[in-house]
């Protein structure tokens, strides 16, 4: 089909009469469309090459204006354009402005443009220089780009949703002072992306995009941020503050991230502010470095299989923290984290692998709930451990015996993890808890034999290896009782009878005091009987009691030595 060059008068007449048709038309003058031109409800312009700029200004375009298979050599400008009289009778495509399979150097929307339906760029459009939207409001469906190639985008001081899909962006994308939701799906961005002072009342969604340069969000107010299957080849960062110095309010309510690839890492910096929820369903496709710093999180959920992600939490505060159906084969670190308010840490059906806990305040959680968790490979450093009463095991349906058995296993695993990391002191604490749980397990079983009762009772004398002072007190008390038992056998002044009056009590006390040398000799487990009790001792009773006391001393001295392990390296 041959090309037709229209003169200005013919072009405007044909446009008003909708008589441009499907001809290959060339327009070589600046086109200005205003109130003197538009007397229609809807117009579709096809197959035209505009050699000079097209300006649409100070006009109501009613149900819309579509450009199909057009080329704008010097760009197109919308200046103070509105579309408030939209009617689906004339235009059923839900777009006030549409570009389809068009080529243009520049598209500009400026100075209080207002559209009742979306602006759409689709079907292999090519924007050679830039798209610029300023002071523009789109009420329904926002600004949409589909299957097109865009050079540069600059959006500022506007109100609309962004929806970009299956498109290529060659240079930076800058969005400043936007009120609207953001959705980016299956795009490729070669330049950097900067979002500042963006307010998303519903969501900021990224899905299967490729970002080849830096990605940054700051000074913004976002309800939900979702990242699914995106690739970030350079550094990504979310700052929960305004870096411009304008002191803008900033917040983020919820984060959902899965199957993303963070080659140079992505940092979420909370600066001590609150966030409602962080959800991380981790899969083997979740790759790179993800870092959360300084958030106060109400609900945190981690699940899945971590094979390739380095996950870092630093200076975080958690209220409800759930790790469920999760296995860690890679690197997870909690650095200087704690719980707040009525906080709970929930570990269910998970293997934490070599997860690091550096200065983690376990004792700040009101409850530690553990059900089928593997902890023997964790790497705790300088952590503050929870109290025994904070630990809850299972789902509450198990028997008491089974509950203490599971507690014993939890303590055993933590003990083993501490030993493996060279923390002998804290490992003894969990060894003591392990033994205490085992005692309670036996007490709630049908197999608590008398011999086991004796062994467990003796082990309690030093709080299962933690308290040498208690054992020393037991030694003094036990020896004094033995001294009182054996004293009448070697004394000429008292016997095994009940005191009848005050003089008998005084006599007993004098005998105890006058023979105090014997009391101190009894602390020697290798004493000689005749040297200790006198040459005239020939009673088998004394020998028997002495033997029992020696056994008692040997066991107690051993318990004291065990308790001192807390203060030596081995």
């Amino acid at each position: 089909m041959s090309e037709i060059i229209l003169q200005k008068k013919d072009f405007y007449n044909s446009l008003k009469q909708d008589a441009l048709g499907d001809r290959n038309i060339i327009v070589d003058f600046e086109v200005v469309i205003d109130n003197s031109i538009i007397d229609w409800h809807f117009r579709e312009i096809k197959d035209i090459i505009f050699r000079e700029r097209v300006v649409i200004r100070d006009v109501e375009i009613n149900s819309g204006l579509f450009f199909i298979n057009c080329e704008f050599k010097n760009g197109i400008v919308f200046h103070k354009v509105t579309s408030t009289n939209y009617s689906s009778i004339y235009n059923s495509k839900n777009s006030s402005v549409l570009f389809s399979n068009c080529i243009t150097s520049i598209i500009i929307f400026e100075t209080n443009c207002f559209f009742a339906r979306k602006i759409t760029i689709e079907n292999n459009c090519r924007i050679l220089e830039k798209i610029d939207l300023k002071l523009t409001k789109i009420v329904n469906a926002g600004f949409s780009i589909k299957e097109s190639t865009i050079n540069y985008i600059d959006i500022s001081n506007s109100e609309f949703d962004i929806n970009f899909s299956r498109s290529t962006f060659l240079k930076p994308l800058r969005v400043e002072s936007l009120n609207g939701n953001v959705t980016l799906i299956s795009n490729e961005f070669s330049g950097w992306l900067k979002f500042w002072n963006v307010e998303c009342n519903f969501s900021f969604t990224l899905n299967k995009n490729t970002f080849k340069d830096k990605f940054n969000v700051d000074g913004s107010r976002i309800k939900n941020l979702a990242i699914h299957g995106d690739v970030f080849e350079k550094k990504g960062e979310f700052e929960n503050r305004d870096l411009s110095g304008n002191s803008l309010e900033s917040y983020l309510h919820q984060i959902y991230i899965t199957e993303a690839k963070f080659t140079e890492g992505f940092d979420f910096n909370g600066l001590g502010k609150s966030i409602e929820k962080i959800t991380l369903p981790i899969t083997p496709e979740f790759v790179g470095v993800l870092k959360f710093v300084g958030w106060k999180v109400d609900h945190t959920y981690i699940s899945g299989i971590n094979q390739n992600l380095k996950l870092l939490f630093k200076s975080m505060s958690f209220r409800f923290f759930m790790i469920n159906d999760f296995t860690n084969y890679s690197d997870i670190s909690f650095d200087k984290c704690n719980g707040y308010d009525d906080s709970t840490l929930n570990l269910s059906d998970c293997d934490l692998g070599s997860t690091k806990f550096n200065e983690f305040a376990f004792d700040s959680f009101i409850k530690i709930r553990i059900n089928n968790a593997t902890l023997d490979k964790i790497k705790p450093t300088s952590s503050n451990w929870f109290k025994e009463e904070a630990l809850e095991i299972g789902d509450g349906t198990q028997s008491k015996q089974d509950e203490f058995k599971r507690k014993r296993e939890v303590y055993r695993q933590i003990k083993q993890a501490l030993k493996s990391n060279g923390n002998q002191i804290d490992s003894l604490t969990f060894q003591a808890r392990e033994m205490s749980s085992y005692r309670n397990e036996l007490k709630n079983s049908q197999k608590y034999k008398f011999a086991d009762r004796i062994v467990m009772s003796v082990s309690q004398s030093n709080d299962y290896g933690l308290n040498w002072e208690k054992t020393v007190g037991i030694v003094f008390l036990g020896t004094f009782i033995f001294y009182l038992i054996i004293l009448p056998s070697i004394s000429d002044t008292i016997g095994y009878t009940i005191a009848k009056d005050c003089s008998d009590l005084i006599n007993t006390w004098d005998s105890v005091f006058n023979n105090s040398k014997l009391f101190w000799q009894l602390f020697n487990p290798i004493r000689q009987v005749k040297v200790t009790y006198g040459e005239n001792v020939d009673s088998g009773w004394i020998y028997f009691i002495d033997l029992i006391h020696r056994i008692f001393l040997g066991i107690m001295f051993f318990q004291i030595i065990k308790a001192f392990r807390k203060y030596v390296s081995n």
Side-chain angles (χ1 to χ4, degrees):
M1 186 181 294
S2 60
E3 294 178 342
I4 299 172
I5 300 177
L6 286 183
Q7 299 301 313
K8 182 180 294 188
K9 183 178 179 181
D10 293 335
F11 171 77
Y12 286 125
N13 286 334
S14 297
L15 179 60
K16 294 181 69 174
Q17 297 170 15
D18 197 16
L20 291 171
D22 295 332
R23 299 171 293 171
N24 287 336
I25 296 174
I26 295 177
V27 175
D28 56 5
F29 54 87
E30 182 178 87
V31 174
V32 178
I33 300 176
D34 55 21
N35 281 325
S36 65
I37 304 299
I38 294 181
D39 57 2
W40 63 78
H41 238 286
F42 171 72
R43 189 65 80 238
E44 193 173 90
I45 301 173
K46 296 182 179 179
D47 303 312
I48 297 180
I49 297 174
F50 297 94
R51 288 180 173 171
E52 299 298 331
R53 178 165 293 197
V54 176
V55 179
I56 305 169
R57 68 186 184 192
D58 305 310
V59 63
E60 166 68 49
I61 61 173
N62 301 312
S63 295
L65 185 59
F66 285 11
F67 296 93
I68 301 173
N69 301 329
C70 294
E71 183 175 354
F72 305 86
K73 296 289 187 179
N74 279 291
I76 179 169
V77 177
F78 293 80
H79 178 87
K80 206 173 182 179
V81 176
T82 61
S83 171
T84 59
N85 300 323
Y86 186 91
S87 173
S88 58
I89 296 173
Y90 301 100
N91 177 9
S92 62
K93 293 187 177 180
N94 199 38
S95 292
S96 292
V97 177
L98 179 141
F99 295 90
S100 177
N101 194 31
C102 293
I103 301 173
T104 178
S105 58
I106 297 173
I107 299 178
I108 296 175
F109 292 85
E110 62 182 11
T111 316
N112 299 318
C113 289
F114 182 93
F115 301 98
R117 295 294 187 273
K118 66 181 175 180
I119 297 172
T120 302
I121 298 173
E122 64 178 16
N123 192 21
N124 296 315
C125 282
R126 288 187 291 155
I127 313 303
L128 303 179
E129 293 184 23
K130 73 181 287 190
I131 299 175
D132 194 348
L133 292 95
K134 299 176 181 176
L135 298 170
T136 297
K137 183 175 181 179
I138 308 169
V139 175
N140 193 323
F143 178 40
S144 174
I145 298 177
K146 302 177 183 177
E147 298 173 345
S148 298
T149 301
I150 313 299
N151 194 47
Y152 175 74
I153 296 183
D154 193 347
I155 299 171
S156 62
N157 300 297
S158 297
E159 185 176 343
F160 51 78
D161 293 344
I162 290 176
N163 193 328
F164 300 162
S165 61
R166 300 183 299 280
S167 297
T168 301
F169 298 83
L170 303 176
K171 289 186 179 180
L173 168 63
R174 187 177 71 94
V175 179
E176 293 188 356
S177 302
L178 174 72
N179 188 344
N181 302 302
V182 177
T183 304
L184 308 178
I185 302 175
S186 300
N187 302 290
E188 182 179 294
F189 297 89
S190 295
W192 49 260
L193 287 84
K194 170 72 174 180
F195 295 88
W196 174 77
N197 191 25
V198 174
E199 185 159 353
C200 300
N201 294 321
F202 182 68
S203 69
F204 190 116
T205 302
L206 310 178
N207 193 333
K208 297 185 178 180
N209 302 282
T210 299
F211 302 97
K212 295 186 174 181
D213 209 329
K214 293 182 178 180
F215 183 99
N216 180 267
V217 181
D218 71 87
S220 297
R221 296 157 298 286
I222 298 173
K223 184 175 181 180
N224 298 290
L225 173 61
I227 301 175
H228 183 277
D230 299 273
V231 177
F232 296 81
E233 296 183 3
K234 298 293 183 179
K235 184 75 171 181
E237 192 167 25
F238 181 97
E239 284 282 342
N240 200 26
R241 60 176 170 174
D242 177 22
L243 297 176
S244 69
N246 292 313
S247 301
L248 295 174
E249 180 187 10
S250 300
Y251 60 74
L252 176 58
H253 287 168
Q254 297 186 17
I255 299 174
Y256 179 97
I257 308 176
T258 186
E259 296 187 4
K261 182 178 181 181
F262 302 114
T263 303
E264 292 188 1
F266 202 116
D267 293 354
F268 287 89
N269 299 314
L271 294 121
K273 296 182 181 179
S274 297
I275 183 171
E276 293 176 6
K277 185 187 294 185
I278 297 176
T279 306
L280 302 175
I282 300 176
T283 67
E285 289 74 30
F286 210 152
V287 178
V289 181
L290 178 59
K291 185 177 181 181
F292 295 93
V293 181
W295 292 94
K296 190 176 182 181
V297 196
D298 191 63
H299 284 71
T300 307
Y301 299 94
I302 300 177
S303 61
I305 299 175
N306 181 29
Q307 289 186 332
N308 303 299
L309 177 67
K310 185 174 183 179
L311 180 59
L312 308 174
F313 295 94
K314 185 174 182 179
S315 301
M316 300 284 287
S317 296
F318 302 100
R319 194 182 72 82
F320 181 86
F321 192 174
M322 166 69 82
I323 302 179
N324 181 43
D325 194 18
F326 175 72
T327 303
N328 177 38
Y329 295 111
S330 189
D331 189 355
I332 300 178
S333 295
F334 294 90
D335 188 6
K336 297 182 179 178
C337 298
N338 61 272
Y340 71 96
D341 289 346
D342 55 339
S343 55
T344 59
L345 174 60
N346 301 268
L347 306 176
S348 179
D349 298 319
C350 60
D351 182 350
L352 295 186
S354 58
T355 300
K356 300 180 183 68
F357 294 91
N358 180 33
E359 297 185 36
F360 192 94
F362 288 98
D363 60 345
S364 62
F365 290 87
I366 303 301
K367 293 294 181 184
I368 308 288
R369 297 192 177 105
I370 300 178
N371 184 19
N372 189 29
T374 301
L375 309 170
D376 56 351
K377 294 180 182 178
I378 63 172
K379 297 182 178 179
T381 305
S382 301
S383 294
N384 296 322
W385 293 100
F386 55 89
K387 297 179 180 179
E388 286 190 81
E389 54 268 25
L391 180 62
E392 292 185 355
I393 294 294
D395 54 8
T397 62
Q398 70 276 5
S399 65
K400 279 291 184 180
Q401 179 185 355
D402 192 39
E403 177 185 343
F404 286 114
K405 184 177 182 180
R406 294 185 183 185
K407 278 190 175 183
R408 173 165 64 89
E409 178 60 18
V410 169
Y411 292 141
R412 184 199 66 79
Q413 291 186 33
I414 298 176
K415 175 195 72 176
Q416 186 60 38
L418 290 164
K419 278 187 175 180
S420 298
N421 288 278
N423 190 340
Q424 177 72 13
I425 295 174
D426 285 344
S427 72
L428 290 174
T429 299
F430 285 94
Q431 179 172 298
R433 294 185 185 183
E434 178 188 2
M435 294 300 297
S436 178
S437 296
Y438 182 55
R439 180 173 182 265
N440 288 321
E441 177 189 342
L442 291 175
K443 288 171 66 176
N444 286 277
S445 72
Q446 303 298 322
K447 301 178 181 179
Y448 198 17
K449 300 177 182 179
F450 180 74
D452 291 333
R453 291 175 186 269
I454 293 176
V455 172
M456 298 306 296
S457 297
V458 169
S459 296
Q460 280 189 295
S461 65
N462 62 1
D463 292 338
Y464 300 105
L466 298 179
N467 189 349
W468 65 269
E469 294 172 326
K470 178 180 177 182
T471 311
V472 169
I474 292 172
V475 168
F476 269 87
L477 179 61
T479 300
F480 183 71
I481 292 172
F482 171 76
Y483 172 61
L484 294 179
I485 292 172
I486 205 170
L487 183 60
S489 298
I490 62 173
S491 174
D492 297 331
T493 59
I494 61 174
Y496 294 103
T497 59
I498 298 175
K500 296 178 180 179
D501 51 34
C502 186
S503 61
D504 286 345
L505 292 175
I506 294 173
N507 183 50
T508 300
W509 169 249
D510 289 340
S511 180
V512 170
F513 181 78
N514 293 331
N515 291 280
S516 60
K517 180 179 179 182
L518 171 62
F519 172 69
W520 297 111
Q521 288 177 330
L522 293 177
F523 288 101
N524 181 7
I526 59 171
R527 60 185 177 261
Q528 296 181 25
V529 175
K530 291 187 179 296
V531 173
T532 304
Y533 304 113
E535 292 290 338
N536 298 324
V537 173
D538 57 1
S539 172
W541 165 254
I542 292 180
Y543 279 91
F544 174 74
I545 294 298
D546 182 75
L547 175 62
I548 297 300
H549 183 253
R550 290 170 190 259
I551 294 172
F552 167 76
L553 285 179
I555 293 172
M556 290 299 104
F557 287 168
F558 177 70
Q559 294 299 102
I560 293 173
I561 293 170
K562 282 180 64 178
F564 269 93
R565 293 178 307 165
K566 189 175 181 179
Y567 304 104
V568 295
S569 59
N570 292 301

